[in-house]
Amino acid sequence: MTPPRLARFWVRAIAPPEIRQAMLDDLDELSNADASAASTPTRAYLRYWREVLRGTPHLLRMRLMSARKPVLDWLWRDIRHGLRGLRREPTFTLTAMLTLALGVATTTTVFSVVDAELWKPLSFPNPEQLVSIHSRALNARADRISGAELLDWRARARAFSDLAGERDTTRRVLQLDTAVSVLVSNVTGNYFTTLGRPAIVGRTFTADDARGSRLAVLTDRVWRRLFNANRSIAGRSVALDGMTFVITGVVTANDSLGGDPDVFVVIDESDPAFLDRTKASFYGAIGRLRPGVDAEVGRAQIQAVVNERVSATPGTHENHSVIVEDLGQSFTGSNQRPLYFFLGASLIVLLLSAVNVTTLLLVRAVRRTREFALRSALGIGRAALARQLLVEGALLAVPGAVAALLMAGWAVGLFTSQLPADFFMRGTNIPIDFRVAAFTVAVTAVTTLGFMLAPLVITGRVDLSTALGPGVRAGRSAVEGRLRGVLLTTQIALTVVLLAGAGIFLKSFAALTRVPLGFDPSNAIAVRATLSGPRYASDDAIRSYADRMLEAGRAVTGVTDAAIGTTSPLGSGPVIRFVAVGQPRPRAGDEPDAIIRAVDPSYFRALGIRILRGRAFSTGDVAGAPGVMIINESVAREMFGGDDPIGRVIDVLPGGTATWANRPGPRVVVGVVATVKDVGVNEIEFGNIYVPFAQVPSSRIELIVRSGLPSADLLDPLRREMARIDPAMPVTSLTSFERRVTVALQGDRFNLLLISSFAAVALLLAAIGVYGTVAYHVESRTRELGVRLALGAQRSRLIGTAFWQTGRMAILGAWLGIGAALAIARVMGDALYLVPGSHNGVLYNVSTTDPAMLALAFAGTLFVAIMAAVIPARRVTRLDPVQALSRE
Amino acid sequence: MNPGRPLLELQALIALASLGDEAYGVTVQNEICSRTGRAASVAACYAALERLARDGLAEAWLSAPRPERGGRSRRHYRLTRAGREALRQEREAAQRLWRGIGLRAPERSR
């Protein structure tokens, strides 16, 4: 009976070396005895296996007992051997290491972004218990709730250990030596305890603070900037809009909840305004579920409270459903698609680098055929060979992983510095932390294991007599040739895919920069102020400030035009709902909405927004005069179709998303203006409603100035003028509109940068791969080429052959790449485009199967492949037949 | 001596004493099997023999090259002086242990 090979292999692998051979021989003896004792071969076979399986625990234990020192011994020997080999071939070593590092770094970079944005749990204790709770009508925005409702929820929903609320942040003036504008968030007393967010200095609020105390907690950013990181700050009083607040402590800024304010102040829960059910000021609540309680239980309890409210006061909250979602997840929503897309793209780069390193190792393995053959002739088994290869892989992988981690840290820094601060919902502070490092190690390990297998396939097939025989052709085998062909083809295909992706993003970005914005951003600046405090409580005070602001702006040298508005293009604004009088009224909650802006008569002229019909506001549109409004093209089309909207009446409904915008009532349409980009360049068309600033004065003011000078020259004079209007009321920002456009496109620029760097890495890797393949082809056939040259073959034909061998595979790969790109485009569908009501877009005005870009990717990849092939192929021309023949 | 020497090691010790120069994996296994009626795997025998060797009670030696093993030697084991001494002590310990114990056939239950 021949002993079962697998069983033998197993014994060989696990038995301690001193008894390995004796053990195998004994097993053979046993099975031979069995066979001759007239038992059947099957019996002998089974007996063999039983011996091996029953013996396995004993062998393993012996191995373990004796392992400690020998393991270190052979490991050390393998490492030294590996290092010697790598030092002998520095080009190979560096190329392989860098290739691996590039691939891993790319994936790590994108992983760290995706992890920080989508996967990492919130950095609060037991983050899985934290939920965000809203109530909303079907297909509508989430409703705001009143403080009284928050108290109802807190009292009735027993599934939660606590429920906290946070109002919208507001800008207020912090009076120190100078007046500073700060972002203030109003939170309930239990906000910090619900989250489990500790103070780094002093204390946070407690539920007891919610009874009329005027307390403030600073975030460490403002504490460092304005208070010099003073550790004895707790107990100090500060003035916010003229009201005195006592600072209780400092917390670390945490942007994972959509950006932290500068200051938290505690809400007075005994305030009548808080308890007023008509004043809905909370955007839902933050809840902490009791340990082990399911979110659905909490949802049902709050739904019951909401339903009771509906039956008690009909007309409010009808058809409302309560939504409870993970707090961390509730801040990530819109960014998911592009992030997953880029993660996928980065995995292609990783695959590419793995393929490349495999190719390199394969070439090296073939060069080492003699070494392997010799070692196996000296009795070194395949297991030892595999071990040696693994150690060599690790020698490449460890520095590769370290380099990758460094590169990723650098790349994350580079990329995030290119981003607007609010590009990621959870902030652009993306750490290279333990999770990222673990990911890097895991990816490197898997990749290394993957490519270490390839040389083993070959070494397993080395035939001793041919490998050690005279005049060996470096052991080329059919398997190896096929494997290399597949690898090269894959590499080219992946490169084409990435290049096509980059091309499509480039075309999209080019289209975005040419989109009509609806206004003229050149040499225009917006100066923003938010008036707060008792001195600006009246409309008159606000109007007077606005007038002085306008005057001051006009007084600056170089300014050719100036205007006042609440917000301006690419600066968003509060949203109101409205209905056209004389048209059927939609169901409550389904009315159209628009961004509202209060503007002065010169606003449209100063910004270069075209008036399509009717007129701009005039100096006659003052408080007390008939209410008027100007709508944009989009509202005119939606509401009136082809009819002339001038003279029609639009009723603005209560419930605007900003206090100043909440001035409901009918207004006559006096003009129609062009639609401007409101938030970003790649956006759905928003409806805009403009009202006269004189009729609807707002504490949020922008001064818009246009000049003949570059914006940068105007910033300082403007800042000086503004400080003179009211030294106690600082302006919050000065931004040129050119800058706003740049910022609006930063996300798209980031995407382009990301995918272009993928494509660049891919091209580089493909070039290395092709170079390696052709160089190997020439190298391994030097002898044959020498013979053919000696026999009178033409050099050009030999070059052609060397070239064509690779060229065939490259062309096949490029076609496969085109196919893959088309397939990916098909699978992605409209996921990368703006789909109104569903998701934002990262591509604009370009098809994912854009033929020009696919053709460019095809041609570009092949061009690089040819360039990379030329250098090694030229070696054939310099080949000296005599030398070639005398080799080896 | 080690009071808790495992049974298989004791059995291997006895097998070495009984087999003399003929003791190697297969014969030790056979010897234990025929003396106890229980089959230990070859690997288990090796484990026991190697532990005896580690403790200095047995030593391994290589036979002359053998044609049926493709010219390789067999790994034999034999008792050392310490091994014989240990065996003697084990035997006395076992006799003391069993002193006065008579085995009766279990009464038949109805």
Side-chain angles (χ1 to χ4, degrees):
Chain A
M1 187 212 71
T2 30
R5 284 185 49 174
L6 188 61
R8 278 188 71 91
F9 179 81
W10 179 236
V11 170
R12 199 182 283 280
I14 63 168
E18 62 273 19
I19 65 154
R20 187 179 294 144
Q21 196 56 53
M23 176 84 202
L24 286 167
D25 289 341
D26 284 1
L27 286 172
D28 288 350
E29 191 180 321
L30 278 175
S31 66
N32 286 338
D34 275 4
S36 58
S39 92
T40 64
T42 323
R43 271 235 183 102
Y45 186 87
L46 287 177
R47 163 89 195 265
Y48 198 104
W49 264 112
R50 209 180 58 209
E51 272 293 335
V52 169
L53 291 179
R54 283 181 56 202
T56 295
H58 297 281
L59 292 177
L60 285 177
R61 234 180 90 199
M62 283 169 85
R63 188 63 184 267
L64 263 171
M65 303 291 269
S66 67
R68 215 156 287 148
K69 200 163 164 298
V71 164
L72 280 182
D73 268 2
W74 65 248
L75 194 63
W76 183 231
R77 213 171 43 235
D78 281 357
I79 288 176
R80 267 188 326 211
H81 183 85
L83 281 177
R84 250 197 324 270
L86 293 179
R87 249 204 320 264
R88 256 202 312 271
E89 297 173 86
T91 321
F92 159 81
T93 308
L94 263 174
T95 316
M97 239 178 235
L98 270 179
T99 302
L100 181 64
L102 273 176
V104 175
T106 309
T107 316
T108 303
T109 305
V110 182
F111 170 83
S112 64
V113 172
V114 175
D115 186 46
E117 179 71 357
L118 298 183
W119 295 335
K120 194 177 286 182
L122 294 171
S123 54
F124 303 121
N126 301 320
E128 72 286 350
Q129 294 171 353
L130 289 171
V131 290
S132 143
I133 309 159
H134 310 288
S135 102
R136 67 172 199 199
L138 212 61
N139 298 326
R141 250 189 287 273
D143 251 6
R144 275 152 203 279
I145 60 165
S146 65
E149 274 171 289
L150 185 68
L151 292 185
D152 286 350
W153 290 8
R154 197 188 285 168
R156 299 276 304 281
R158 305 307 305 162
F160 299 95
S161 57
D162 219 343
L163 271 176
E166 179 179 18
R167 283 199 186 123
D168 285 341
T169 51
T170 51
R171 283 237 157 241
R172 297 214 211 170
V173 176
L174 175 67
Q175 191 62 50
L176 299 168
D177 298 339
T178 57
V180 189
S181 171
V182 288
L183 206 54
V184 178
S185 175
N186 298 270
V187 297
T188 54
N190 61 355
Y191 175 81
F192 292 103
T193 46
T194 303
L195 287 176
R197 196 173 162 180
I200 50 170
V201 169
R203 65 170 181 91
T204 57
F205 304 135
T206 64
D208 293 338
D209 294 332
R211 302 272 167 266
S213 332
R214 282 216 190 127
L215 301 177
V217 163
L218 306 177
T219 52
D220 62 340
R221 278 192 291 245
V222 81
W223 175 59
R224 283 175 219 287
R225 185 160 56 91
L226 300 178
F227 296 93
N228 238 340
N230 178 1
R231 296 200 71 83
S232 53
I233 193 159
R236 185 168 154 187
S237 299
V238 288
L240 273 177
D241 283 352
M243 283 195 286
T244 308
F245 286 81
V246 176
I247 296 171
T248 64
V250 179
V251 293
T252 314
N254 182 328
D255 287 324
S256 57
L257 299 179
D260 245 1
D262 299 316
V263 181
F264 291 94
V265 299
V266 67
I267 293 171
D268 181 0
E269 291 182 17
S270 53
D271 185 5
F274 178 80
L275 297 169
D276 186 346
R277 289 194 182 271
T278 62
K279 288 196 170 135
S281 56
F282 290 96
Y283 179 78
I286 293 172
R288 183 176 279 282
L289 289 161
R290 289 182 195 281
V293 176
D294 196 72
E296 176 53 29
V297 177
R299 199 202 69 78
Q301 288 177 350
I302 291 178
Q303 183 76 59
V305 181
V306 171
N307 291 348
E308 265 175 51
R309 281 280 299 154
V310 174
S311 36
T313 50
T316 59
H317 296 358
E318 255 156 44
N319 303 322
H320 268 215
S321 51
V322 170
I323 294 175
V324 171
E325 56 184 341
D326 181 87
L327 187 60
Q329 294 298 314
S330 69
F331 282 96
T332 57
S334 59
N335 272 330
Q336 287 189 12
R337 285 155 189 275
L339 284 180
Y340 282 130
F341 171 78
F342 287 117
L343 189 63
S346 76
L347 285 176
I348 296 186
V349 179
L350 179 69
L351 187 59
L352 202 51
S353 86
V355 168
N356 213 328
V357 178
T358 311
T359 312
L360 290 170
L361 281 170
L362 219 49
V363 174
R364 187 157 178 266
V366 171
R367 265 206 306 270
R368 292 168 71 190
T369 311
R370 258 168 179 280
E371 176 199 332
F372 289 148
L374 200 64
R375 296 185 69 182
S376 87
L378 289 175
I380 292 169
R382 271 194 86 190
L385 214 55
R387 211 173 56 198
Q388 170 72 43
L389 285 173
L390 271 180
V391 168
E392 281 175 17
L395 287 178
L396 288 176
V398 171
V402 172
L405 213 52
L406 291 176
M407 283 190 211
W410 173 78
V412 167
L414 177 77
F415 285 142
T416 50
S417 70
Q418 297 289 312
L419 285 176
D422 58 354
F423 183 69
F424 293 124
M425 300 295 280
R426 295 219 205 153
T428 45
N429 175 26
I430 294 164
I432 297 292
D433 57 8
F434 174 74
R435 288 165 66 97
V436 176
F439 174 82
T440 309
V441 170
V443 162
T444 315
V446 169
T447 317
T448 311
L449 275 180
F451 58 60
M452 288 323 297
L453 289 178
L456 206 56
V457 170
I458 297 181
T459 55
R461 293 173 188 263
V462 169
D463 178 1
L464 267 186
S465 55
T466 54
L468 289 177
V472 60
R473 284 194 325 167
R476 277 170 62 85
S477 72
V479 178
E480 185 256 327
R482 264 203 306 277
L483 188 55
R484 297 165 55 77
V486 169
L487 290 176
L488 186 76
T489 314
T490 312
Q491 214 166 21
I492 296 288
L494 294 176
T495 308
V496 168
V497 169
L498 285 173
L499 216 56
I504 287 159
F505 272 79
L506 183 67
K507 195 165 178 182
S508 160
F509 187 75
L512 279 171
T513 56
R514 288 195 303 266
V515 175
L517 300 168
F519 73 103
D520 176 12
S522 55
N523 298 342
I525 296 175
V527 183
R528 194 176 279 176
T530 304
L531 307 178
S532 57
R535 289 189 299 130
Y536 292 101
S538 73
D539 284 357
D540 283 338
I542 292 174
R543 269 193 288 258
S544 132
Y545 183 92
D547 288 344
R548 276 178 288 150
M549 202 179 187
L550 192 59
E551 250 170 64
R554 288 198 167 124
V556 173
T557 356
V559 169
T560 53
D561 205 349
I564 291 288
T566 48
T567 58
S568 45
L570 295 177
S572 192
V575 175
I576 49 132
R577 288 184 177 278
F578 63 92
V579 289
V581 173
Q583 284 185 2
R585 197 180 165 120
R587 262 188 353 171
D590 284 350
E591 302 96 346
D593 56 11
I595 290 176
I596 187 170
R597 294 194 174 106
V599 303
D600 77 349
S602 47
Y603 181 86
F604 299 111
R605 189 188 63 219
L607 275 170
I609 299 172
R610 280 181 307 131
I611 294 172
L612 305 172
R613 276 165 182 269
R615 62 172 175 92
F617 294 128
S618 72
T619 43
D621 298 322
V622 289
V628 290
M629 69 159 58
I630 291 172
I631 56 178
N632 74 347
E633 233 181 327
S634 165
V635 174
R637 192 172 37 207
E638 286 293 311
M639 301 305 294
F640 306 109
D643 300 348
D644 186 2
I646 305 296
R648 304 289 287 266
V649 179
I650 281 181
D651 196 2
V652 176
L653 303 177
T657 56
T659 327
W660 71 262
N662 204 359
R663 303 206 193 196
R667 292 179 172 273
V668 181
V669 176
V670 294
V672 177
V673 294
T675 301
V676 295
K677 295 292 178 187
D678 278 310
V679 182
V681 180
N682 187 4
E683 67 175 13
I684 51 163
E685 233 179 58
F686 286 94
N688 292 157
I689 282 181
Y690 299 91
V691 293
F693 191 85
Q695 291 179 351
V696 185
S698 144
S699 54
R700 179 125 166 21
I701 307 182
E702 263 177 37
L703 167 72
I704 288 132
V705 298
R706 183 177 293 283
S707 72
L709 304 172
S711 298
D713 297 351
L714 242 64
L715 292 176
D716 278 335
L718 267 174
R719 198 172 280 128
R720 274 198 301 275
E721 281 300 323
M722 292 303 125
R724 248 185 287 194
I725 309 172
D726 181 351
M729 188 51 61
V731 296
T732 52
S733 71
L734 283 95
T735 333
S736 75
F737 280 91
E738 285 129 337
R739 169 93 192 126
R740 268 198 205 176
V741 175
T742 310
V743 170
L745 286 174
Q746 249 169 357
D748 302 285
R749 190 171 286 119
F750 170 74
N751 293 342
L752 180 61
L753 184 66
L754 205 57
I755 193 132
S756 313
S757 48
F758 292 174
V761 171
L763 267 186
L764 181 66
L765 294 182
I768 294 173
V770 171
Y771 177 93
T773 308
V774 177
Y776 167 76
H777 182 85
V778 174
E779 166 96 359
S780 65
R781 297 178 58 187
T782 304
R783 218 181 134 80
E784 178 197 332
L785 294 171
V787 172
R788 291 170 69 176
L789 275 177
L791 292 176
Q794 280 183 322
R795 281 173 197 270
S796 58
R797 282 201 61 168
L798 293 183
I799 295 178
T801 314
F803 218 76
W804 185 234
Q805 292 267 339
T806 315
R808 255 185 347 203
M809 290 185 280
I811 291 172
L812 175 66
W815 278 116
L816 287 175
I818 295 288
L822 290 175
I824 291 170
R826 176 118 195 202
V827 171
M828 299 287 299
D830 61 5
L832 290 182
Y833 296 100
L834 172 73
V835 176
S838 167
H839 52 82
N840 292 334
V842 291
L843 286 181
Y844 178 82
N845 212 8
V846 63
S847 159
T848 44
T849 57
D850 188 272
M853 288 304 136
L854 288 180
L856 214 59
F858 185 90
T861 309
L862 282 185
F863 176 74
V864 169
I866 289 168
M867 287 295 112
V870 163
I871 308 164
R874 277 179 48 218
R875 271 190 217 151
V876 176
T877 58
R878 293 196 296 267
L879 206 62
D880 175 4
V882 179
Q883 261 180 25
L885 283 171
S886 61
R887 270 175 50 139
E888 301 187 36
Chain B
M1 69 154 280
N2 183 353
R5 187 158 292 287
L7 191 57
L8 191 62
E9 281 176 43
L10 182 61
Q11 291 169 356
L13 211 54
I14 295 168
L16 288 185
S18 137
L19 289 167
D21 278 353
E22 279 308 306
Y24 67 99
V26 175
T27 51
V28 170
Q29 188 199 29
N30 281 334
E31 185 70 16
I32 291 176
C33 184
S34 63
R35 279 173 180 265
T36 64
R38 291 179 219 130
S41 69
V42 180
C45 295
Y46 271 110
L49 290 168
E50 283 296 312
R51 275 198 298 273
L52 291 177
R54 186 197 60 199
D55 292 350
L57 305 185
E59 60 190 2
W61 58 281
L62 293 178
S63 72
R66 304 188 67 88
E68 78 271 17
R69 295 212 153 179
R72 281 188 299 273
S73 309
R74 270 200 310 232
R75 184 180 177 89
H76 285 262
Y77 292 85
R78 65 178 160 228
L79 283 181
T80 59
R81 188 189 294 267
R84 272 190 290 278
E85 176 59 20
L87 190 62
R88 197 181 57 76
Q89 287 179 6
E90 285 286 356
R91 190 179 133 123
E92 284 172 9
Q95 282 167 347
R96 277 200 301 279
L97 187 64
W98 286 100
R99 197 168 296 155
I101 305 288
L103 287 181
R104 263 178 306 183
E107 281 172 35
R108 192 178 291 174
S109 59
R110 286 177 187 273

